[in-house]
Amino acid sequence: MKDSADLRFLLTIRASENLLAAARTLGLTPSAVTQRLQQIERRLDVRLVDRSARRLRFTEEGELLCTRGAVLIEQFDALLDDLHARRGGMVGTLKINAPLGFGRRYVAPAAAHFQELHPEVDIALTLSDEPLTEIADRFDVVVHIGELRLSNLIGYAVAPNARWACASPAFVKRYGMPATPEALAALPCIALPENNEDVTLWHFSKGRTTRSVRVPGRLSCNDGDVIRRWALEGRGVIVRSEWDVADDVARGTLVRLLPAWKLPDANVIALTHQRTGLPMRTTMFMRHLQARFRPVAPWRVR
């Protein structure tokens, strides 16, 4: 391992589905990628990648090298960024991941404004609803909504966000207003698969009383905008984030059900890999993002 370039090369391969994809990213031919990989393996006298599998699969030693190497690269880049920052500027690429709907409505404008304020910083924003464990390593900042399960990531509060059960006025007129959470089990409901949760088991609380209800998820979609539209069309009950349906409830196009019962909050948080040693661009973007939701989150301004 001669220098950080070899580590960066291996990390690019690790982030790719196959050698051909890695070659395209690196701007090399597949044979050149293979040759360089073999040279690194010969120098280390250890096999790093199992190339017999249909997809690239790193050996245990290869995973160890990439995992620890990624930390070293991050620290090295942070050092260079800090040196640049001492000269009064911010440079480099900031890689951000955010959920599809929230990212479109709130993170994308914040990222564009941040880049306008700091033109030497390049922004790479990716919107997706992949499970957190599958995408976190590829980004500097991950915007996450909901409970943060076991993770080694560091969370920073961005904005409060409740979850509401909602349906259209036409749906309520047809089926009636449910009086208890248990009544939802007899109504058409719409499920939103996210964060690897059990999406048809809805949890409610009122004071010290809790209720968990298994609802019939006759319709489901991983796109929150789709299930919101289905609810507006009167197709079922949804549980959706306050940020997404507060305007509909205010306009009367959706009705909040069981307002005396509370669903688990789904607060907005921003995640990074470490608390200290972050590049200046990452720290400043985090502050920029938080400032856009203070003193009151826009979905709570009425």
Side-chain angles (χ1 to χ4, degrees):
M1 187 68 58
K2 294 193 299 184
D3 53 32
S4 65
D6 285 340
L7 278 175
R8 295 180 194 274
F9 172 81
L10 289 172
L11 291 171
T12 300
I13 293 179
R14 187 191 185 205
S16 305
E17 292 185 357
N18 49 52
L19 285 175
L20 183 60
R24 285 197 295 265
T25 302
L26 292 164
L28 301 172
T29 64
S31 60
V33 172
T34 300
Q35 285 182 337
R36 183 171 179 185
L37 178 57
Q38 290 172 340
Q39 289 171 358
I40 295 173
E41 288 178 328
R42 282 196 296 269
R43 284 198 297 270
L44 295 174
D45 194 26
V46 64
R47 190 169 182 81
L48 301 174
V49 179
D50 179 7
R51 294 182 285 282
S52 63
R54 293 182 63 184
R55 293 171 60 90
L56 282 175
R57 186 172 63 204
F58 274 68
T59 64
E60 186 174 342
E61 291 77 12
E63 284 289 348
L64 176 64
L65 180 61
C66 286
T67 300
R68 294 193 179 179
V71 174
L72 294 174
I73 291 295
E74 191 171 71
Q75 291 174 341
F76 180 74
D77 289 346
L79 172 60
L80 294 182
D81 287 339
D82 285 346
L83 291 175
H84 284 294
R86 285 175 180 272
R87 297 204 306 267
M90 288 195 300
V91 297
T93 300
L94 180 64
K95 293 174 286 186
I96 309 164
N97 180 276
L100 289 167
F102 189 84
R104 280 192 296 264
R105 192 179 302 184
Y106 292 109
V107 181
H113 185 221
F114 182 79
Q115 201 282 325
E116 182 181 354
L117 294 174
H118 307 285
E120 295 301 314
V121 175
D122 298 329
I123 298 291
L125 173 63
T126 299
L127 302 182
S128 72
D129 280 324
E130 295 181 66
L132 185 61
T133 54
E134 297 180 13
I135 54 89
D137 289 344
R138 307 201 299 267
F139 298 95
D140 302 307
V141 177
V142 176
V143 178
H144 179 72
I145 298 177
E147 180 184 356
L148 180 61
R149 302 188 186 279
L150 292 177
S151 172
N152 58 354
L153 299 174
I154 308 301
Y156 299 83
V158 174
N161 175 54
R163 280 186 174 129
W164 294 348
C166 300
S168 71
F171 183 93
V172 173
K173 183 177 180 180
R174 179 180 179 185
Y175 291 96
M177 182 71 74
T180 65
E182 289 83 358
L184 297 176
L187 299 178
C189 294
I190 304 172
L192 173 67
E194 59 180 351
N195 299 336
N196 289 329
E197 296 177 356
D198 187 344
V199 296
T200 60
L201 186 63
W202 294 354
H203 304 283
F204 294 84
S205 64
K206 183 166 64 173
R208 296 185 178 181
T209 303
T210 61
R211 295 284 188 272
S212 293
V213 182
R214 176 70 66 181
V215 300
R218 303 291 167 76
L219 287 170
S220 68
C221 182
N222 69 332
D223 188 324
D225 189 55
V226 169
I227 74 159
R228 174 179 155 274
R229 290 178 184 276
W230 282 343
L232 289 167
E233 293 167 3
R235 300 182 186 276
V237 178
I238 61 171
V239 165
R240 194 68 186 114
S241 281
E242 178 188 4
W243 71 261
D244 191 32
V245 295
D247 288 343
D248 293 308
V249 171
R251 286 192 296 263
T253 52
L254 285 178
V255 177
R256 186 179 174 190
L257 309 181
L258 302 166
W261 290 85
K262 179 179 174 59
L263 285 148
D265 288 335
N267 295 328
V268 184
I269 57 177
L271 304 167
T272 64
H273 294 282
Q274 57 198 54
R275 192 176 300 278
T276 60
L278 292 173
M280 182 66 69
R281 60 180 179 268
T282 302
T283 301
M284 294 303 292
F285 177 75
M286 298 276 282
R287 294 175 183 171
H288 178 79
L289 185 64
Q290 289 171 320
R292 292 177 75 91
F293 297 92
R294 294 175 179 170
V296 181
W299 49 87
R300 294 189 173 178
V301 176
R302 290 288 179 267

